[in-house]
Amino acid sequence: MWLEILLTSVLGFAIYWFISRDKEETLPLEDGWWGPGTRPAGREDESIHPFKVETSDEEIHDLHQRIDKFRFTPPLEDSCFHYGFNSNYLKKVISYWRNEFDWKKQVEILNRYPHFKTKIEGLDIHFIHVKPPRLPAGRTPKPLLMVHGWPGSFYEFYKIIPLLTDPKNHGLSDEHVFEVICPSIPGYGFSEASSKKGFNSVATARIFYKLMLRLGFQEFYIQGGDWGALICTNMAQLVPSHVKGLHLNMALVLSNFSTLTLLLGRRFGRFLGYTERDVELLYPVKEKVFYSLMRESGYMHIQCTKPDTVGSALNDSPVGLAAYILEKFSTWTNTEFRYLEDGGLERKFSLDDLLTNVMLYWTTATIVSSQRFYKENLGQGWMTQKHERMKVYVPTGFSAFPSELMHTPEKWVRFKYPKLISYSYMARGGHFAAFEEPELLAQDIRKFLSVLEQQ
């Protein structure tokens, strides 16, 4: 009996090793057309033109009228954020939004960086492009594409951009000076939504690759979290020779390997490559992984299946939209914030910043199209797409923020990204890293570049 168990184990390990060993594949680049109707004859207009964020008194008046008609439902006693966004605190947020928030001023802030649009695969793609105000003699900036996720926006990067493009003026060395490009995912904010089914992260990655080529960059660095992490991963799988380095603050690496080690890690963690910090962040697994993911993933099941239904309600109600989005900025920043009546939102963010992000969804009416991205990427099931089973063969850096929705140990990251050269346990921070802890993320990106250039 024991011999049979041993032989079965050895055979299982051999099969696992064979199917999981490194195979340097790339995704086919292909092409697409996501605009309305059929693809027109002739070459696509590749011009890039400036864009400016604008508003009007009519837009603000309509918002105020809708806010004034909000129907309040009292929260349960002592419910804090356990039932979702606490409506007592919501009243404070919408009072500020209605009476103190200055959208025209925030539009001026948005326009501090140069905005542009260009047509790619039938879609108007919006991006900001920030060049260094000064450079050391004889140096050229490093092109860095930074990609947001849901329910974020390009605005998440506004506080990290100066640290990357003008480091010396912010107390950092000028060893690494970046030229930063932050696009809006199609269907988010000012980037046009697809008119056709099937627009997923791979299509987005291809479009952003074409954007970088159009800007004159044959080689560049990429960084992302949330959907941005997946889009950047896909870019590295599509065109690894063009991606000089990939930096992530989130990684979707759940696999049979990680699931197995997760179950055994509490007892055999040291032998499975877990550090003491990994064990602290993952166990007890029932609470820190299973229950936590169950609590925070209800939105995902809706958006993976029937996003248009809830999207119709959110697109019609600014207060509903704010509650739906800002709830994520509470518990995804720190799950313990659900024990607070105000969700801890103002411990990490200002209401001006939070509402500016909400306004980018409201004024562009893109909540429905942004939610459809879940159905296009996850609606067919887990591990059904080729890129999910492929590894990434470009130099990779990873920031492990302690309050991320789920901790990803270095061993797991390296399984998906064999050329992982930098892995950092961050001192604090959660899911919206660039928005919440811009200094820490900027430092880790710079650390990754230093390690990369020393190789």
Side-chain angles (χ1 to χ4, degrees), residues 121-148:
E121 297 192 9
L123 300 177
D124 259 337
I125 303 301
H126 161 262
F127 62 98
I128 57 173
H129 186 178
V130 187
K131 299 181 180 181
R134 60 189 66 82
L135 274 171
R139 298 270 293 280
T140 57
K142 299 174 171 69
L144 174 65
L145 180 81
M146 304 189 78
V147 186
H148 67 87

Side-chain angles (χ1 to χ4, degrees), residues 16 253-263 274 412 415:
Y16 169 77
V253 296
L254 281 178
S255 63
N256 292 336
F257 166 79
S258 57
T259 303
L260 178 64
T261 60
L262 183 63
L263 296 175
Y274 285 9
W412 295 9
F415 183 79

